[in-house]
Amino acid sequence: MPYVAHVPYLSSLRLLLPLLLVLLPGLAGAGPAGAADRPVVELSRAQAGTGGSVTVTGSGWRPRALLTLLVCGQAEPTRGVTGGTNSCANADGRTVTADAEGRFRRELPVVEPPVPCPCVVHVATVTGAGAEADAVLRVAGHAVEPLPADRGGGRLSLLADTRLRGSSGLLTWFGSPPARTLVVTVGNVGTSPVKDPVFQVGTAHGVFAPQWQDQRWRGTIRPGGKARIELPVELAAGAHGDYTVSLKYGGKVLAEHPWGVGRPWGVTLFWVLACLVVPAALFRAGLAVVDRARPRHPVHAARPPRRRPRLRLRLPAARRSPALPWVSPDAEPPSSTRT
């Protein structure tokens, strides 16, 4: 009887076994697949001298993404490029496009960055969604200095919503560069104070990647403290459309805020008026030139104008009919003839 009682459970297990065999491979492959989606950068050599080159390979990038490869100083993979793009050898960088599987391979010349090491090979996207990764590179013969200690344990986190302060004026309506002030509240969640942090403010138009600009904020944020950060943001002259303002610190994007910039209709109005006024002014100037260039006769040589003969209509004289004899006062009426 006990054996018979367990028979239904065995039959249920037999039905579930094929289903488990199908689901287990998918569950087992979920972890590696998620890790493969993260960008990875590898170097053929961990150390190279100036004038040499290293082979940079990558995987996990967005398919067909355009990437930049730079040698940067004062950077670590865990913290990113602390000094921003000003710490990189931008003139000797390279670009590469990932294949359909998000892989690439590219030769990169080894040069000395403008700041001391520790150095990395920094790979970042140019268009589309932002992504970046670093690989350690020791540049032989280049100076090495430790990263600032006051930034070692300091980590900033966003505490309040980001907003843009300011408005467009009359000059912006006529094509002046739009400008705003990015206002954020950040807190130090690390164990050491953050002094004079360098933020990266990026502006992206549409689907293009942000154009980053380094901006230093003067002040110190102690552990557990917070601060209100105000950084200026300015676009190019005549810019209009949908923009996105991003704030990055330590290689991590802290905040993003949309910015809709109106079209500078004053510029359009100016060109419309120019197309109407300039031709009219040129036409009047041309008439004035022609009037001045027309030959004129001297006054003493001028001939008096000829008088045109006046036409007079002469009617023929009316003929007088002879007076009848009985009408004249001296004539006697004729005597009547008798029959």
Side-chain angles (χ1 to χ4, degrees):
M1 291 298 294
Y3 177 78
V4 176
H6 287 287
V7 169
Y9 296 100
L10 293 176
S11 60
S12 300
L13 290 175
R14 290 177 181 176
L15 294 176
L16 293 175
L17 184 59
L19 182 61
L20 292 175
L21 292 176
V22 173
L23 294 178
L24 283 177
L27 295 175
D37 292 337
R38 292 178 297 179
V40 177
V41 176
E42 296 179 355
L43 305 180
S44 60
R45 294 185 296 171
Q47 181 176 354
T50 304
S53 63
V54 294
T55 302
V56 185
T57 57
S59 61
W61 297 88
R62 190 176 69 254
R64 308 300 180 186
L66 180 62
L67 310 172
T68 57
L69 288 69
L70 298 172
V71 177
C72 303
Q74 289 290 283
E76 291 180 352
T78 57
R79 296 178 53 186
V81 183
T82 59
T85 55
N86 293 334
S87 303
C88 304
N90 299 300
D92 298 288
R94 294 292 184 269
T95 59
V96 65
T97 302
D99 58 14
E101 298 179 355
R103 302 175 181 272
F104 72 87
R105 183 184 180 89
R106 186 75 160 87
E107 292 287 334
L108 178 66
V110 178
V111 295
E112 295 184 352
V115 296
C117 287
C119 300
V120 299
V121 172
H122 182 71
V123 182
T125 55
V126 178
T127 59
E132 56 187 18
D134 301 319
V136 177
L137 174 65
R138 292 189 294 273
V139 181
H142 191 55
V144 179
E145 294 182 3
L147 296 178
D150 56 352
R151 298 183 185 176
R155 293 185 296 115
L156 298 181
S157 178
L158 184 67
L159 298 181
D161 294 337
T162 308
R163 65 186 182 91
L164 291 175
R165 189 181 64 191
S167 60
S168 300
L170 182 62
L171 295 179
T172 305
W173 199 66
F174 281 95
S176 180
R180 295 289 190 276
T181 300
L182 180 65
V183 181
V184 297
T185 302
V186 298
N188 187 357
V189 296
T191 58
S192 63
V194 178
K195 183 179 180 181
D196 298 340
V198 177
F199 294 94
Q200 289 182 286
V201 179
T203 54
H205 187 199
V207 298
F208 293 97
Q211 300 294 327
W212 300 101
Q213 182 181 6
D214 298 336
Q215 295 191 20
R216 183 180 297 275
W217 182 78
R218 300 292 181 179
T220 301
I221 308 176
R222 299 188 179 278
K226 64 179 181 179
R228 182 181 180 184
I229 309 297
E230 297 184 1
L231 301 173
V233 184
E234 184 174 344
L235 302 178
H240 62 277
D242 296 329
Y243 285 81
T244 301
V245 180
S246 305
L247 180 66
K248 182 191 292 186
Y249 176 77
K252 179 182 177 181
V253 178
L254 299 180
E256 292 182 346
H257 194 279
W259 183 10
V261 184
R263 183 181 294 273
W265 292 108
V267 179
T268 305
L269 178 62
F270 170 80
W271 287 113
V272 170
L273 294 178
C275 293
L276 296 177
V277 173
V278 171
L282 293 177
F283 179 74
R284 292 179 62 89
L287 291 180
V289 171
V290 171
D291 184 66
R292 289 181 175 275
R294 185 179 60 183
R296 300 178 180 274
H297 297 286
V299 178
H300 62 274
R303 296 181 179 179
R306 297 180 179 179
R307 296 181 179 178
R308 296 181 180 179
R310 296 182 180 179
L311 298 179
R312 295 181 180 179
L313 182 62
R314 295 181 179 180
L315 297 177
R319 296 179 179 179
R320 298 180 180 179
S321 56
L324 296 177
W326 62 83
V327 176
S328 61
D330 299 332
E332 292 181 359
S335 58
S336 59
T337 58
R338 296 179 180 180
T339 60

